[in-house]
Amino acid sequence: MSTGKYIGRVLVVDDDQAICEILRAQLSNEGFDCEVALSAEEGLSMLRRDAFDAVLSDLHMPGLSGLDFLAAARRERPHVAFLLVTGEQDVRTAIQAMKSGVSDYVVKPFKGETVLRSVGQAIEKKRLEAELQGYRQKLEHMVEERTRQLFSALQEIEITYDSTLEALGGALDLRDSATAGHSIRVTLYALTIAEAMNCGEKQLRELARAASLHDIGKIGIPDAVLLKAGCLTAEEQAIMRSHVLVGYELVSRIAFLAQAAAIVRAHHERYDGAGYPAGVSGDRIPLGARIFAVADTLDAMTSDRPYRKALSFEEAMAEIVAQSGRQFDPVVVKAFLSVPRHVWSSIQTGSLSVGRPRPRAEAVAMPEQRARPD
Ligand SMILES: [Fe+2]
């Protein structure tokens, strides 16, 4: 009776040739492609040479025992179904063997149908396991691929965000013609100092975003105040100073700019507490804002203004050093001084953008508490 259901390649291993032949006849009759081996050693060499779906092995053989043979065979071909042929007295051993990966056992004297059913089921089980394993691997591959695509899409979104912020910073500069290019330069100055302080990628990103947007609150300042050439009255100065809180209000509503918003709010604070809007001092000012303050002043002093010519870099540097511990955090000033002169020059002379590689400053050893994120 051939059902055509249990088709596969089977290796029968038994030192009793009569049993081998009976099994071969029964299995072949049922549509299996059957080979026999009269010893464990021969079985192993056939397994190494050919592919089988199932191995049916006697438990007791001269030389390598059935259990040792199965252990060795499973190491060779872990995806093959292994079955034991055993006597009544060894059923317990066979059950134990199933715990270590043997698919099934057949007790002698066996009926042909029993053997066929066991072999067929064992092969089918292995086939399903292999299918499941393949499906699992496919799923894992799909998850990896989707994760990679998602990560890449997120990176693109981040780049788009940052380009938008950079463009917005440039647009803000245009409103006040005296500060053309200020936003991009000050961003690069700030990043250069932050790198010299060993700030991490996340801090650098937040700092770049804050630097692009630091004066966004000036959108709310009337031209009569923003562009006034002479000294500001006390009232006008108060209006001008409101740009930090207006900027904070605008930026803090955007979730991914929350950290940058804190820097926008604090970018006119002073290390000695004499700044605005909160008058906080020292480490209570976010590290990004302390870094930004040096960068902003450096650019302001080294840029032409309608009412004065730009200072030389050396003059600006001397002023920053003079303000260390007063306007500026001494640790930030130390980092600023550690950056080689040519790095500042290449930023100052343009042709750089936040997204492009730029000359890197060597990091200086900073006290640990200062290098931590704010
Ligand atoms: Fe400002």
Side-chain angles (χ1 to χ4, degrees):
M1 161 196 85
S2 174
T3 61
K5 193 176 171 188
Y6 303 140
I7 302 303
R9 192 142 198 264
V10 183
L11 174 64
V12 175
V13 186
D14 201 312
D15 59 314
D16 186 334
Q17 189 158 11
I19 288 185
C20 281
E21 291 310 325
I22 292 169
L23 285 169
R24 191 211 298 264
Q26 288 176 335
L27 288 163
S28 301
N29 190 42
E30 204 61 23
F32 289 101
D33 178 9
C34 188
E35 301 280 341
V36 298
L38 295 175
S39 70
E41 290 75 10
E42 187 188 355
L44 271 181
S45 92
M46 287 174 75
L47 263 181
R48 287 188 191 114
R49 207 170 50 233
D50 293 326
F52 290 93
D53 297 301
V55 174
L56 193 57
S57 168
D58 188 16
L59 186 58
H60 295 293
M61 291 182 284
L64 209 57
S65 80
L67 287 179
D68 291 340
F69 161 70
L70 286 173
R74 286 189 69 228
R75 280 196 295 275
E76 287 289 332
R77 302 283 185 185
H79 301 299
V80 172
F82 292 99
L83 298 98
L84 276 175
V85 178
T86 176
E88 289 274 5
Q89 71 281 8
D90 291 319
V91 166
R92 194 167 290 203
T93 310
I95 293 171
Q96 276 301 116
M98 284 184 73
K99 289 181 186 165
S100 54
V102 167
S103 300
D104 205 354
Y105 64 94
V106 180
V107 182
K108 286 191 265 191
F110 47 78
K111 287 185 186 165
E113 302 154 20
T114 312
V115 176
L116 295 171
R117 191 173 57 242
S118 289
V119 171
Q121 284 175 346
I123 291 177
E124 181 66 4
K125 189 171 168 233
K126 281 287 174 187
R127 192 187 61 75
L128 288 173
E129 280 173 8
E131 216 169 73
L132 191 64
Q133 173 76 1
Y135 182 64
R136 193 179 295 132
Q137 279 172 349
K138 196 174 162 193
L139 271 184
E140 281 171 5
H141 179 72
M142 271 173 65
V143 169
E144 271 172 27
E145 178 62 15
R146 290 284 187 276
T147 306
R148 195 189 58 71
Q149 286 173 354
L150 188 62
F151 185 69
S152 157
L154 283 173
Q155 274 189 321
E156 267 180 45
I157 290 171
E158 281 224 349
I159 291 168
T160 308
Y161 278 159
D162 290 340
S163 304
T164 307
L165 296 182
E166 203 177 313
L168 185 56
L172 293 168
D173 289 347
L174 287 179
R175 180 151 178 246
D176 180 358
S177 58
T179 60
H182 167 68
S183 173
I184 185 80
R185 281 193 308 274
V186 87
T187 303
L188 293 171
Y189 288 152
L191 289 177
T192 300
I193 297 170
E195 281 165 357
M197 295 179 75
N198 271 333
C199 289
E201 282 300 317
K202 186 167 173 282
Q203 283 178 296
L204 294 177
R205 255 196 324 270
E206 284 159 3
L207 183 55
R209 288 167 179 167
S212 290
L213 297 173
H214 69 281
D215 272 346
I216 193 171
K218 284 185 178 173
I219 283 174
I221 309 293
D223 282 356
V225 176
L226 183 70
L227 306 177
K228 186 176 176 180
C231 292
L232 299 179
T233 65
E235 193 186 344
E236 289 166 337
Q237 200 172 46
I239 293 170
M240 188 64 133
R241 287 182 167 197
S242 71
H243 80 277
V244 289
L245 290 176
V246 172
Y248 174 74
E249 285 299 319
L250 287 172
V251 174
S252 61
R253 289 178 200 171
I254 305 165
F256 88 101
L257 293 175
Q259 295 299 318
I263 300 175
V264 170
R265 181 174 56 189
H267 79 270
H268 283 292
E269 298 290 2
R270 289 174 51 110
Y271 192 73
D272 59 9
Y276 66 92
V280 288
S281 62
D283 289 359
R284 293 186 62 204
I285 305 167
L287 176 62
R290 281 178 267 145
I291 292 171
F292 179 83
V294 172
D296 196 25
T297 302
L298 174 65
D299 189 61
M301 288 193 296
T302 54
S303 302
D304 284 329
R305 290 287 187 268
Y307 45 89
R308 60 148 176 81
K309 292 295 287 176
L311 298 183
S312 69
F313 180 82
E314 283 65 30
E315 288 169 319
M317 189 168 71
E319 181 57 24
I320 286 169
V321 170
Q323 287 298 325
S324 178
R326 302 208 283 245
Q327 187 177 351
F328 306 121
D329 180 348
V331 177
V332 177
V333 173
K334 186 180 170 194
F336 161 70
L337 294 173
S338 75
V339 177
R341 175 76 170 84
H342 70 89
V343 175
W344 301 117
S345 300
S346 40
I347 298 172
Q348 214 175 358
T349 51
S351 75
L352 293 166
S353 90
V354 176
R356 287 188 206 136
R358 56 189 188 283
R360 292 281 174 132
E362 291 299 316
V364 293
M366 308 302 289
E368 207 174 305
Q369 70 274 18
R370 292 289 171 77
R372 280 205 312 263
D374 286 295

